[in-house]
Amino acid sequence: MTAEELRAARDRTVPDVVAGGLRVLFCGINPSLMTGATGHHFAHPGNRFWPVLHRSGFTPRQLKPAEQTELVRYGLGITNVVARATARADELSTDEFREGGRILAAKVAELRPQWLAVVGVTAYRTAFGRRTARIGLQDHTIAATRVWVLPNPSGLNAHWTVQTMAEEFGRLRASVEHDGTDITAET
């Protein structure tokens, strides 16, 4: 990927990977330039979403970003709080996050996933006005959808390792299974 191709990806949007009635709808902050350029979610090589998703047991093997549509067969999907691609999430305004939260709430009400998993606590706090939210299960729902906040898998998030993120994703997975929606990855 050339620098010119990445620059050209600024402000692009990437289609969601969704279906009605998903078990878990994962929600990123916004697409990276690499995601905007490739059309594949969490496509930057430093992003740890795909390894963490596998290590936590959501998928039977580590998928590549180009295989993102396979998620639907596992009852999983991907969307973003803010649709436009940027180099860094700090390029987004508070208003964009708030509007993104409104759009996301409408999308969740329409698609009715059992769980919404937002990857990025700061994005979640801003989008939904939940200033004291922490990683983990949240105390509110969107329609009938339960909400869980996960650590941001970006390689820029040095506070979490692949292992500690996989453990947190695994807690979500255990909660989903406890609710009677076993998403044990088939081997």
Side-chain angles (χ1 to χ4, degrees):
M1 187 71 47
T2 68
E4 184 176 315
E5 289 170 315
L6 289 175
R7 279 192 301 276
R10 181 171 300 282
D11 297 327
R12 281 190 190 157
T13 60
V14 177
D16 294 337
V17 177
V18 296
L22 294 169
R23 292 177 179 146
V24 181
L25 177 58
F26 290 94
C27 180
I29 297 169
N30 76 304
S32 68
L33 295 180
M34 182 69 74
T35 290
T38 65
H40 305 301
H41 292 274
F42 301 104
H44 191 281
N47 194 295
R48 300 166 291 178
F49 177 80
W50 298 104
V52 167
L53 198 66
H54 170 62
R55 286 188 186 193
S56 62
F58 277 109
T59 59
R61 66 180 176 81
Q62 184 175 322
L63 299 176
K64 297 173 185 167
E67 298 174 306
Q68 66 188 10
T69 58
E70 289 187 33
L71 289 175
V72 174
R73 69 185 243 212
Y74 302 118
L76 308 173
I78 303 176
T79 189
N80 287 287
V81 175
V82 176
R84 74 179 183 96
T86 62
R88 296 177 49 103
D90 62 8
E91 296 175 39
L92 302 170
S93 71
T94 299
D95 287 343
E96 285 179 285
F97 277 111
R98 289 183 184 142
E99 178 62 16
R102 286 188 286 277
I103 293 167
L104 179 58
K107 191 177 299 184
V108 167
E110 177 186 337
L111 295 173
R112 302 175 52 148
Q114 293 165 354
W115 289 85
L116 172 66
V118 180
V119 294
V121 69
T122 302
Y124 173 77
R125 288 173 181 158
T126 306
F128 292 99
R130 303 274 180 166
R131 293 182 309 187
T132 60
R134 296 181 181 269
I135 298 292
L137 177 64
Q138 301 305 300
D139 64 358
H140 84 287
T141 60
I142 299 173
T145 298
R146 298 183 74 187
V147 180
W148 195 287
V149 175
L150 293 165
N152 180 354
S154 166
L156 299 175
N157 181 0
H159 298 290
W160 291 79
T161 66
V162 168
Q163 182 59 41
T164 57
M165 277 190 278
E167 290 167 5
E168 187 59 35
F169 275 57
R171 282 190 271 284
L172 166 61
R173 186 169 165 264
S175 292
V176 173
E177 290 174 359
H178 182 264
D179 284 350
T181 54
D182 185 1
I183 57 174
T184 304
E186 299 171 7
T187 56

